[in-house]
Amino acid sequence: MVEKLVILKNITKTYKTGKIAYQVLKGINLEVEEKEFLAIMGASGSGKTTLLNIIGLLDKPDSGIYIFDGQEVSKLNKNDLAYIRNRKIGFVFQAFHLVPWATALENVLMPLLYRGVFKKEDEERALQLLTRLGLEKRMNAKPSELSGGEQQRVAIARALITHPKLLLADEPTGNLDSKSSQEVMKIFKELNEEGLTIIMVTHDPEIAKFAQRIKIIKDGVFVEK
Ligand SMILES: Nc1ncnc2c1ncn2[C@@H]1O[C@H](COP(=O)(O)OP(=O)(O)O)[C@@H](O)[C@H]1O
Ligand SMILES: [Mg+2]
């Protein structure tokens, strides 16, 4: 049987600024199987980041059902969501979000430091990940000493240090030149071929091509192509 890692049923989300309410997500339905590589596309402001944050348990929907890895998570509290998130989900963002005073190696280890567990093997795994991503000579460099592509590769290693079941990427190539973008997508493709489930948001069709499946969000719902 194929396992569904993500099941969203009729998810809605409304933002309120002052008296004005704006419904960004109007009933999102989505199923993502384990080992899938899905790209979510849509215009700027269409709700891609909002949706990814809900999938990543960083934000909660107003209504609807979310089943992540076989568990109904829609009604869990913040602590429970953080617990699952820290163990099962890795994030890669457009702006890298590395800690500026920490080295590449320390940045990769950061999720484990936050969790309060840190073993010798972890440092070895961090080094392996950096080596795999071609950064073995840069492990002691600070983010400001790294190119955009290198910083994003550090961010990918950081996302992988906890052995997540799901990798979420929000415009991962949005700040990169085309060569670095291709490199990052090649890494995603390899990771996916090794069994990692990936959900990536992008507005770039050339980047979305790397995924197995593309969904387009418009006016708060998914549209058929
Ligand atoms: N925290 C927030 N408060 C109010 N409005 C928001 C907030 N986050 C996003 N929005 C609005 O919701 C819409 C969708 O935003 P977002 O999910 O970031 O879209 P995308 O990632 O597709 O560009 C935009 O109109 C944005 O201005
Ligand atoms: Mg966005």
Side-chain angles (χ1 to χ4, degrees):
M1 204 184 85
V2 184
E3 297 289 337
K4 304 245 191 291
L5 188 56
V6 168
I7 302 175
L8 300 177
K9 289 182 190 163
N10 212 16
I11 293 291
T12 72
K13 181 78 184 179
T14 297
Y15 287 120
K16 290 180 196 75
T17 31
K19 283 186 180 149
I20 301 163
Y22 176 57
Q23 192 173 32
V24 183
L25 304 179
K26 298 180 180 169
I28 291 281
N29 293 294
L30 178 68
E31 294 193 348
V32 182
E33 290 169 1
E34 281 190 356
K35 303 186 197 307
E36 250 202 289
F37 183 0
L38 172 74
I40 296 174
M41 297 192 71
S44 178
S46 60
K48 303 182 298 297
T49 294
T50 302
L51 177 59
L52 206 70
N53 287 345
I54 288 171
I55 295 173
L57 309 179
L58 286 166
D59 200 358
K60 285 170 93 165
D62 296 329
S63 67
I65 291 172
Y66 180 12
I67 298 165
F68 174 72
D69 199 18
Q71 183 180 9
E72 154 86 273
V73 291
S74 328
K75 288 168 191 73
L76 294 181
N77 66 32
K78 271 190 177 174
N79 282 346
D80 291 338
L81 292 176
Y83 186 89
I84 299 170
R85 185 171 68 236
N86 292 339
R87 278 156 187 79
K88 295 191 179 179
I89 304 176
F91 290 89
V92 175
F93 302 96
Q94 174 172 0
F96 322 132
H97 293 311
L98 298 175
V99 176
W101 47 261
T103 65
L105 182 64
E106 288 161 351
N107 266 286
V108 175
L109 289 165
M110 210 59 78
L112 300 176
L113 294 173
Y114 280 128
R115 209 201 265 181
V117 284
F118 185 81
K119 301 190 226 74
K120 189 71 197 151
E121 302 95 87
D122 295 325
E123 195 168 324
E124 278 158 28
R125 174 162 164 80
L127 276 170
Q128 274 172 12
L129 282 167
L130 285 171
T131 303
R132 177 187 175 166
L133 297 175
L135 292 166
E136 65 275 26
K137 294 203 174 74
R138 310 296 281 138
M139 64 176 192
N140 291 317
K142 302 274 171 66
S144 62
E145 299 164 332
L146 299 171
S147 72
E150 287 173 332
Q151 288 183 66
Q152 195 59 304
R153 281 183 278 146
V154 172
I156 294 168
R158 177 183 59 184
L160 297 176
I161 191 76
T162 57
H163 297 278
K165 280 198 128 179
L166 176 63
L167 181 69
L168 297 178
D170 193 353
E171 307 271 7
T173 62
N175 281 1
L176 301 180
D177 59 53
S178 63
K179 185 166 170 279
S180 303
S181 297
Q182 295 289 318
E183 280 168 12
V184 164
M185 290 322 327
K186 223 179 120 230
I187 293 163
F188 275 28
K189 214 162 179 300
E190 281 172 18
L191 292 168
N192 174 248
E193 280 161 8
E194 289 163 21
L196 182 66
T197 311
I198 302 176
I199 303 177
M200 171 179 76
V201 158
T202 181
H203 61 261
D204 183 345
E206 290 302 314
I207 295 302
K209 271 184 196 164
F210 284 87
Q212 296 161 340
R213 184 159 72 107
I214 299 174
K215 297 279 282 180
I216 296 168
I217 186 170
K218 196 177 175 216
D219 299 328
V221 292
F222 281 123
V223 292
E224 298 306 319
K225 273 202 282 181

